[in-house]
Amino acid sequence: MPSSCSSIASPDVPISRSSCLGFRPLGWFLRGLISLFFPILRAQWQDWPMSIIEVRDLRKSYGTNFAVDGVDLTIEAGEIFALLGPNGAGKTTTVEILEGFRNRDSGDVSVLGIDPQVRGDSARDFRDRIGIVLQATSDAGDLKVSETVGYFSHYYAGAKDPDEVIEAVGLGEKKNELIRSLSGGQRRRLDVALGIIGNPELLFLDEPTTGFDPEARRAFWGLIRSLRDAGTTILLTTHYLDEAEALADRVAVINKGRIIEVSTPTALGGRATSQARVIWEFDGVMHEELTNEPTSVVSRLAREFDGEIPKLLVSRPTLEDIYLEMVGLTNGAES
Amino acid sequence: MSQKGRPNTLALGYGRGKLEIRQFVRQRESVVFTLLFPLMLMAIFGSVFKDTIAPGVTFSQYFVAGMIASGMVNSGFQQLAIVIPMERDFGSLKRLRGTPMPVASYFIGKSILVLVSMIFQVALLLLGGVLFFGLHMPSDPQKWFTFAWLVLLGTASSTALGIAFSVVPKSGRGASAVVSPVVIILQFFSGVFFIFTQLPSWMQQVAAIFPLKWLCQGMRSVFLPEGFASHEVAHSWENGKTFLILTAWLVAGLIISIRTFKWSRE
């Protein structure tokens, strides 16, 4: 099992916009005060906690199909946030609205304090501050790695050094090769290089490791963690539950256009407190017991066997078990 | 983060142009084909039609005008209307859309690629024509001036129309099947392969709507003797009219491109 990096996630307290508006003039006064002093406060504490992404009651439909049906989401600075959900759950639509590729029908969206729906010069400013790694692309096979990354760096006002970025994604030795000659995993690393060349405050990662071999995935995860550690906020969408578990500080499960739950990977769906399964062998037959107190079950067995318990296994539901159960429940409830 | 100021749209477009050319040049087969195809066609048609069309006008002389004109349609319209849907399928357009690169820079880059490949194509065609097919080059500077604005305006409108037409093919794979017949039919109708005045008049009238016929006619005014104007449909080169019609197509192409351009499939 991969070491689950359960760094202490930012508490999931949605910043309520209406809570201080019970008494309106007071609300206005407070808002005025905050907006007056906020820039000063930010300058004082660079790491002033602010939400990188805030979504309230987001809706988007295609004809009669409600792809996104009232999504609320708050993503904090410096976290890796994974959005999980089956195909057609509204994942891609949500992310594409946040990236500015799609317009919403209704709801409030703020990404880095900007409405991603802006056009023109403001859109350029917005895209200057984000990085997007789309699902596998296969273009520009006739350019070299260094040419492509180098040229993308010109698009951004505050780009990183292309050579450093190429080195950071582990393509240093492939720098002067044609993109055509790269393997699938190396190409994906190039995609990430192009996503981070502009030194983004927020990085969107869409299915980053599809088609990777296990070793390449581990290495890739290391790269993503190092980006987070350098201060980049990351919104990850993935089909791989182990990937979400290994990388994400928090996960959200989306289905039928709604967020079902937001939690840490270890606590999602009551996972941390759910019953443990103890499995062992006796007389050539496998036995199992579901329990809230696995330790006492194991010590009881240890006494019974007077030593080593044959084929002992203690497990809690995997993130995948929990996820499938959650998605199954919501699907069942509506059909 | 340090704001170094916003990168310049023109400079980015120029850079994209260099990148596009580099990509193009690395596909050797297509380079050779694009550059030599017009010469090959000229060799074939030149050996089939040996007669002179009018005193002092060989078929090669007539044909070179049509080849240059359709070169503009090939390297602009045809190439872009095929390549852009492919880039869309590959996801490269969507990726560019997610960067702060201005849309105009992308279009400028494509225009540079088309113009440069056009210049090489024409130079090679003229050189080959003079060396192997007895092509007479015009000596009047006035004619070279006409030639220059025809190449620029023709390439520009061909580029704009190629970008505009790029929304028509549903996929990159099917693009050439959609685009190539349009171009080939247009070439037949516009008097590239045949003498325009010998075509049925309904064909001439259909062709007169589209830019290729006017490009061919304009190029004939450059490469054929002044007296040949009387052999044209209107008994004149009609260069003023050509200018207006090409400009109208350029404007239409630009407007359609800006309004309808698609960065991703759906």
Side-chain angles (χ1 to χ4, degrees), chain A residues 259-274:
Chain A
I259 302 281
I260 307 172
E261 193 181 335
V262 181
S263 184
T264 62
T266 41
L268 189 79
R271 186 179 169 208
T273 53
S274 63

Side-chain angles (χ1 to χ4, degrees), chain A residues 175-306:
Chain A
K175 209 168 116 176
N176 294 315
E177 308 268 325
L178 290 183
I179 294 172
R180 213 186 351 209
S181 72
L182 299 183
S183 72
Q186 288 166 340
R187 252 196 133 110
R188 214 64 190 117
R189 285 167 169 268
L190 175 67
D191 289 338
V192 173
L194 297 178
I196 62 173
I197 184 72
N199 199 10
E201 294 160 57
L202 168 65
L203 180 66
F204 293 94
L205 269 182
D206 197 1
E207 313 277 350
T209 60
T210 305
F212 276 37
D213 62 52
E215 208 185 330
R217 284 181 85 202
R218 289 295 163 94
F220 194 87
W221 291 348
L223 168 65
I224 302 305
R225 285 194 197 102
S226 69
L227 288 175
R228 189 256 323 265
D229 296 343
T232 313
T233 308
I234 295 167
L235 175 55
L236 167 77
T237 51
T238 182
H239 280 306
Y240 298 120
L241 278 297
D242 57 338
E243 183 159 281
E245 178 147 34
L247 284 178
D249 299 307
R250 289 194 302 149
V251 297
V253 177
I254 185 171
N255 197 19
K256 307 249 172 198
R258 288 165 200 263
I259 302 281
I260 307 172
E261 193 181 335
V262 181
S263 184
T264 62
T266 41
L268 189 79
R271 186 179 169 208
T273 53
S274 63
Q275 288 197 313
R277 185 184 300 268
V278 182
I279 297 173
W280 72 95
E281 189 190 54
F282 181 65
D283 269 355
V285 182
M286 296 308 291
H287 292 259
E288 74 166 43
E289 191 173 323
L290 286 172
T291 172
N292 286 319
E293 293 166 332
T295 315
S296 61
V297 173
V298 171
S299 40
R300 190 195 78 217
L301 288 169
R303 262 179 276 118
E304 285 172 14
F305 283 100
D306 195 19

Side-chain angles (χ1 to χ4, degrees), chain B residues 220-234:
Chain B
R220 285 200 293 273
S221 85
V222 173
F223 289 95
L224 300 187
E226 211 42 56
F228 193 82
S230 57
H231 292 259
E232 293 292 338
V233 179

